Amino acid sequence: MPKITSLEDLRKIKEQAKDLTSARSGGKTRIIVGMGTCGIAAGARDVMTAILAELDKRGLKEVTVETTGCIGMCQKEPLVDVIRPGEPRITYGNVEPKDAARIVVEHLVNGNVVEDKVVGRTD
Amino acid sequence: MALYRAHVLICKGTGCTASGGPSVYSAMQEELKRRKLDREIMLVETGCHGMCEMGPIVVVYPEGALYCRVTPEDVPEIVEEHLYKGRLVERLLYTVPSEMTKIPHYRDIPFYSKQHRIVLRNCGYINPEHIEEYISRDGYQAFAKALLEMTPEKTLEEVKNSGLRGRGGAGFPTGLKWEFARKAPGDKKYIICNADEGDPGAFMDRSVLEGDPHSLIEGMLLGAYAIGADEGYIYCRAEYPLAIKRLKNAIAQAEELGLLGDRIMGTDFSFHLHIKEGAGAFVCGEETALMASIEGKRGMPTPRPPFPAQHGLWGKPTNINNVETWANVPQIILNGAEWYSSIGTEKSKGTKVFALTGKVKNTGLIEVPMGITIREIVFELGGGILNDKGFKAVQVGGPSGGCLTEEHLDLPVDYESLTAAGAIMGSGGLVVMDEDTCMVDVSKFFLEFTQRESCGKCVPCREGTKQMLLLLEKITRGEGTMEDLETLEELAQMVKRMSLCGLGQTAPNPVLTTLQYFRDEYEAHIKDRECPAKACAALIAYTIDPEACKKCGLCAKNCPVNCISGDRQTPYKIDQERCIKCGTCLEVCPFNAVHKD
């Protein structure tokens, strides 16, 4: 590793190292994938992998991806929730791996809810 | 760098390593690989979380769920349920002892929610072997800020204004101490980190060294810059192999990044840091003895003055602070003196780390703001007395500290209040005692320690502690007289007043405070030949109640010296001549027929 010779160098290392510990602090956008038995059977695992790949590709670091169990709406699985700080919780249903990119770009980056996939909304 | 959606932090501090942390780590590593989750879930080994009682501890982020006493057998369930399906493994969550409720989140557990973590902010949160993780948590920002944007005078001023006082025990204002060393004439100056933590049951410094070694290095860099030193030593006992390993690793990383060495960050400031491994003599925690040890001499104290700030290591001006003091400095520079001095009491600023041990439910490491009461520490953070027995006393400040009683429970913890009550802040040992503890026995225990560790240079400490110990042994054998009590008190005052260094000056503290607050217990040992807490072996006898004895023979079977006789027809009986008073018969009797009086 090159030597640190300025504040800028230190800041650069800090920026690069940020995602080393960023998952350990809260207060960010959360994506929650339903991974109950129903979700897994409907293909939630592939959806999650697709979301992770998309986030990685776009270098989005201020997002946490969590899993959760069955919430009872099994016919709409795979379910994906997106919670942006200060905004209502949006639940997307019947999400397929190909929808992952759309949700990430539209909702997370541009701030527009992907309406045709929404199955629920809570404050 | 791949994106990790979850982080699994497994504690590899000394406590959790002893309770099986490493095998949980390797089981987790295998299980994640088997489930093909190793590319999206990061496994991190950390330093001490402080709640060693509940170890091995596993924390899963982003949720911040804390699992207690995890075994390798639990690992597949955590991976499948939590990491794969997102359901908390409830049976492994922390349970509040009083309410029997489960708490999933780290921050909500009373043990943590009452704490204010400055020194321990990274312990259990980052991987101590990766400098990048330290940097990601604002590491070395304070040093860079001071070096590039502040003068040494300004840096020193900031520490002075913060009100930080030495965390090693005496509580001398750190900024003032630095100023003495800065103003001392000479081109060559040294700084030293005292990591010779030797109090029985204390592991505050150890946890910082093992869990966040870079915070110490950064603190020393700031100190060296402010004082004008170009060389530093960390004096750490060889009994802390993990701490030394992580320190060496951290120093190597800092050197590689150019944060240690010559002309740091392109400036004229150079600083080299060495580790000196001590052999573990308690007296080497005293600064003059410590420096003698670094110089390769026998670790013995010398009279002060001259103080180290004028005539220290190899005769050069030297500044010594302990681990916790150094580790506070980066946060003070980063957040400002005003921020730091807003925490704590009028004369004691900031926080203090305590090793909470003894008869409390949650033993472990805590960092609390100065001014917190002993009651809050024992009953809220500590969760109360083990097995819900009665509180008797708390021993503050290690073997050189004093015992405080129930009436001191609402005493605010700061340097002045503790000293006024006869205890000292010390380095931060807190030993809680319940009603079954004999205070005479306790002071004997601590005196045994200091007597053994006395270096033998000055007569009051060498001979005085020995004679005091003999008197205490006589009293606990039930052979003491009231004159002995007077002699003991007189000797204690003499040793305290006339010893050369801090070891002897503070060694009588446990005896003096117990004499002050628990004199009746001493008198009971002498006048009634009785130990009220039933702890001193010579003053108790075990007997079997023939009425209650069901003649099962369990006591006889378990007696290690075969001194219990009896059979199916005759009740069992203990031969008092041969009994060693180990108490095994009392423990094994299913019918409570064995009595201790």
Side-chain angles (χ1 to χ4, degrees), chain A residues 1 3-7 10 14 17 20-21 23-25 35 45 48 52 55-56 65-69, chain B residues 3 5 7 37 40 44 61-62 82 84-86 125 132-133 135-136 138 140-141 144 149 256-257 265:
Chain A
M1 214 179 282
K3 296 208 176 216
I4 295 175
T5 54
S6 64
L7 263 180
L10 191 63
K14 188 183 167 189
L20 270 176
T21 53
R24 291 170 223 167
S25 52
M35 287 280 277
R45 178 70 207 170
M48 164 125 96
L52 287 173
L55 291 174
D56 194 20
V65 181
E66 297 166 40
T67 57
T68 188
Chain B
L3 179 78
R5 68 173 165 92
H7 291 191
L37 292 171
E40 58 186 64
V44 186
Y61 287 101
H82 187 156
Y84 204 92
K85 297 180 181 167
Y125 193 86
E132 294 89 347
E133 292 211 2
I135 292 175
S136 81
D138 291 327
Y140 291 107
Q141 294 282 338
E149 293 166 3
E256 200 189 326
L257 281 180
M265 294 175 101

Side-chain angles (χ1 to χ4, degrees), chain A residues 54-109:
Chain A
E54 193 63 30
L55 291 174
D56 194 20
K57 199 170 91 189
R58 305 198 164 266
L60 298 177
K61 306 206 193 295
E62 299 296 305
V63 182
T64 66
V65 181
E66 297 166 40
T67 57
T68 188
C70 172
I71 57 162
M73 214 166 28
C74 311
Q75 79 279 13
K76 301 268 195 225
E77 291 278 3
L79 290 165
V80 173
D81 285 11
V82 175
I83 310 169
R84 283 160 51 103
E87 288 179 25
R89 174 186 192 132
I90 307 293
T91 305
Y92 296 108
N94 296 117
V95 181
E96 291 174 48
K98 65 178 166 59
D99 301 320
R102 214 149 55 97
I103 292 173
V104 168
V105 177
E106 280 302 311
H107 194 162
L108 266 60
V109 179

Side-chain angles (χ1 to χ4, degrees), chain B residues 11-308:
Chain B
C11 182
K12 275 207 187 173
T14 296
C16 287
T17 298
S19 55
S23 55
V24 173
Y25 185 89
S26 46
M28 186 64 82
Q29 204 166 22
E30 251 166 61
E31 190 63 18
L32 288 178
K33 210 170 267 169
R34 197 176 71 79
R35 291 245 172 208
K36 299 191 175 61
L37 292 171
D38 53 331
R39 294 189 63 86
E40 58 186 64
I41 293 170
M42 189 201 271
L43 189 56
V44 186
E45 62 175 89
T46 69
C48 186
H49 284 77
M51 204 159 56
C52 310
E53 179 73 24
M54 291 291 152
I57 284 175
V58 174
V59 183
V60 181
Y61 287 101
E63 294 91 343
L66 182 135
Y67 293 121
C68 307
R69 291 188 180 150
V70 179
T71 63
E73 290 73 41
D74 297 327
V75 167
E77 190 180 343
I78 295 178
V79 173
E80 171 155 350
E81 288 297 308
H82 187 156
L83 297 172
Y84 204 92
K85 297 180 181 167
R87 292 190 291 226
L88 296 174
V89 184
E90 216 159 286
R91 65 179 182 89
L92 295 173
L93 296 173
Y94 177 75
T95 312
V96 182
S98 53
E99 294 143 35
M100 297 309 284
T101 47
K102 299 270 183 189
I103 298 184
H105 295 292
Y106 206 165
R107 57 182 181 276
D108 299 329
I109 297 172
F111 185 76
Y112 291 108
S113 57
K114 279 266 165 185
Q115 294 194 41
H116 188 120
R117 296 189 145 210
I118 297 173
V119 173
L120 299 178
R121 59 192 277 277
N122 286 331
C123 283
Y125 193 86
I126 61 165
N127 185 334
E129 301 195 357
H130 289 182
I131 192 170
E132 294 89 347
E133 292 211 2
Y134 180 67
I135 292 175
S136 81
R137 297 268 294 161
D138 291 327
Y140 291 107
Q141 294 282 338
F143 170 59
K145 178 178 154 190
L147 182 65
L148 303 173
E149 293 166 3
M150 289 161 75
T151 60
E153 290 82 5
K154 179 83 186 61
T155 310
L156 203 155
E157 199 61 33
E158 202 69 15
V159 174
K160 221 171 155 184
N161 292 341
S162 73
L164 175 66
R165 294 169 64 173
R167 296 288 190 254
F172 193 81
T174 305
L176 206 59
K177 198 170 180 178
W178 286 18
E179 199 170 39
F180 292 149
R182 177 173 175 80
K183 287 191 173 152
D187 332 322
K188 179 78 185 176
K189 287 173 189 174
Y190 291 100
I191 59 167
I192 296 175
C193 168
N194 185 347
D196 191 64
E197 184 175 52
D199 296 6
F203 51 102
M204 296 76 64
D205 297 346
R206 181 179 202 159
S207 292
V208 175
L209 296 171
E210 292 177 359
D212 195 16
H214 285 288
S215 67
L216 166 66
I217 297 175
E218 188 178 2
M220 289 186 79
L221 274 165
L222 285 161
Y225 178 65
I227 290 164
D230 64 351
E231 212 170 342
Y233 282 89
I234 300 172
Y235 188 88
C236 183
R237 46 181 49 213
E239 286 131 271
Y240 283 4
L242 184 63
I244 289 171
K245 178 185 152 223
R246 291 202 170 140
L247 268 177
K248 281 185 176 157
N249 175 62
I251 291 174
Q253 287 174 340
E255 279 170 352
E256 200 189 326
L257 281 180
L259 293 166
L260 278 174
D262 290 320
R263 304 183 56 79
I264 297 169
M265 294 175 101
T267 63
D268 287 335
F269 176 67
S270 301
F271 184 64
H272 294 269
L273 193 53
H274 316 282
I275 299 173
K276 168 74 187 174
E277 291 179 35
F282 186 60
V283 73
C284 287
E286 199 280 336
E287 55 185 17
T288 56
L290 185 152
M291 289 188 301
S293 176
I294 292 180
E295 291 173 2
K297 297 179 194 148
R298 188 168 174 172
M300 278 187 171
T302 45
R304 295 176 301 183
F307 286 94

